[in-house]
Amino acid sequence: QVTSQMRQLGKTINFGIAYGITGYGVAARTELSQTEARELIDNYFAQYAGVKAYIEQTKREVRERGYVQTLLGRRRYFPELQHDTRNVGARNAAEREAINHPIQGSAADIIKIAMVRLHDELHARNLKACMTLQVHDELVLECPDDEVRVVAPLVRETMEQAYPLDSKLRVDVAVGQNWDEMANF
């Protein structure tokens, strides 16, 4: 029942919040007024107070430690946030990057684990399918038609189980001759 417009607005808000999006930024990317966009952001933080707490906690921690890290411990340093910088734009940009790094960096870590495991499993099963491309959180494989029924569930299972999280990862698998012809498997 979710329309593509609703999904796009949800993605704009969810991803935008991690980047410090403002009412102006949401309005510029949607058909909402700045007032409506600000209300939407305020309602989001009211509903998901943990997100606001995460943002503020991350800002405090990066100033104290000088770095943030992914779930797997990969660090990104922000020495510019340990000093009282007068360049507000640079400080705000660094804070947005610090807030985003544990999220996007952890996703990057997890997909790399999935890629290594999937490669090993394809090889161990003597399958001809092979990964050809990674785009953010997506993997593109070339797969012979006679292997699709084996490879598609293998891809889903491998990606969903790449790293234990409190919330289960959900993976959609689509099959087609090209990206334009993809259909859910």
Side-chain angles (χ1 to χ4, degrees), residues 19 41 46 50 88:
Y19 285 108
I41 292 170
V88 176

Side-chain angles (χ1 to χ4, degrees), residues 74-124:
R74 190 165 44 88
R75 293 181 181 181
R76 178 160 177 203
Y77 288 86
F78 292 90
E80 65 269 36
L81 292 177
Q82 289 189 293
H83 306 96
D84 184 26
T85 180
R86 295 181 198 274
N87 186 336
V88 176
R91 183 180 66 234
N92 289 344
E95 284 178 347
R96 287 191 302 272
E97 291 174 24
I99 291 163
N100 184 261
H101 178 73
I103 300 165
Q104 293 290 344
S106 294
D109 292 347
I110 291 169
I111 198 158
K112 284 172 183 57
I113 290 169
M115 290 170 70
V116 168
R117 290 182 182 165
L118 182 59
H119 175 271
D120 291 349
E121 195 61 33
L122 292 170
H123 182 73

Side-chain angles (χ1 to χ4, degrees), residues 15-146:
F15 292 116
I17 296 249
Y19 285 108
I21 200 165
T22 63
Y24 175 81
V26 171
R29 291 167 178 80
T30 67
E31 296 177 7
L32 299 175
S33 70
Q34 286 188 44
T35 302
E36 292 169 322
R38 183 71 240 162
E39 277 182 27
L40 193 60
I41 292 170
D42 291 344
N43 289 339
Y44 181 97
F45 282 134
Q47 174 112 18
Y48 303 105
V51 174
K52 185 73 165 174
Y54 163 78
I55 290 169
E56 296 307 318
Q57 177 184 348
T58 302
K59 287 179 184 180
R60 279 191 308 277
E61 287 179 2
V62 73
R63 280 191 200 99
E64 292 169 9
R65 296 187 311 201
Y67 67 88
V68 294
Q69 61 186 26
T70 67
L71 287 172
L72 287 128
R74 190 165 44 88
R75 293 181 181 181
R76 178 160 177 203
Y77 288 86
F78 292 90
E80 65 269 36
L81 292 177
Q82 289 189 293
H83 306 96
D84 184 26
T85 180
R86 295 181 198 274
N87 186 336
V88 176
R91 183 180 66 234
N92 289 344
E95 284 178 347
R96 287 191 302 272
E97 291 174 24
I99 291 163
N100 184 261
H101 178 73
I103 300 165
Q104 293 290 344
S106 294
D109 292 347
I110 291 169
I111 198 158
K112 284 172 183 57
I113 290 169
M115 290 170 70
V116 168
R117 290 182 182 165
L118 182 59
H119 175 271
D120 291 349
E121 195 61 33
L122 292 170
H123 182 73
R125 294 183 186 199
N126 292 316
L127 294 165
K128 293 181 182 108
C130 64
M131 286 179 280
T132 58
L133 186 65
Q134 174 204 349
V135 181
H136 301 292
D137 62 349
E138 296 182 16
L139 296 179
V140 178
L141 286 80
E142 288 188 11
C143 181
D145 290 341
D146 63 334

